[in-house]
Amino acid sequence: QDQVAESGGGLVEAGGSLKLSCRVSGLSALPFDKRPMGWIRQAPGAEREGVSCITTSDQITYYVDSVKGRFILSKDNDKNTLYLQMNDLKPEDTAIYFCTPGCTVIGGSPSTVGLRPWGQGISVNVST
């Protein structure tokens, strides 16, 4: 069973940056570098939203329109760690961010369909 260690959240002013990390460990039938994975988020009072994910079939990274050009998803396969670099943060980025196994893309945008959070989530608060 996978275990994750999430880190990197916090309080930041609008325009600032944060880098989220999700380190995966434990037993898994599929090696880290062969696994699709990504990030979803849930803002206060809102439904969960797909933010970014990467497939392994085509090695393409997908982003929701609202974060394109600002967020960068990356993986370090040697460290079994998934990252989300978030730049030019906006108050509307305030949410709990979850790393997830799997990558569901609908209409060219990451989705939450069929995905479950890997861990407890990381709180990100962006002030004006």
Side-chain angles (χ1 to χ4, degrees), residues 6 14 16-18 24 27 29 37 41 46 49 56 61 73 85 87 95 99 101 111 116-117 119 122-123 125 127:
E6 299 167 303
S17 298
L18 287 172
V24 184
L27 298 177
M37 56 187 65
R41 67 184 178 185
E49 171 189 44
T56 53
T61 305
L73 180 149
Q85 176 68 48
N87 302 318
C99 54
S111 170
R116 57 167 176 78
I122 307 170
S123 178
N125 284 277
S127 64

Side-chain angles (χ1 to χ4, degrees), residues 8-19:
L11 175 63
V12 64
E13 291 184 351
S17 298
L18 287 172
K19 187 173 185 177

Side-chain angles (χ1 to χ4, degrees), residues 56-76:
T56 53
S57 58
D58 52 13
Q59 288 295 300
I60 294 177
T61 305
Y62 297 86
Y63 298 93
V64 67
D65 285 347
S66 61
V67 308
K68 284 181 180 177
R70 300 188 297 121
F71 289 13
I72 302 170
L73 180 149
S74 62
K75 294 172 64 181
D76 186 329

Side-chain angles (χ1 to χ4, degrees), residues 86-108:
M86 307 187 295
N87 302 318
D88 189 22
L89 282 160
K90 304 176 185 300
E92 51 265 41
D93 295 318
T94 294
I96 304 296
Y97 285 72
F98 304 88
C99 54
T100 64
C103 178
T104 302
V105 181
I106 298 177

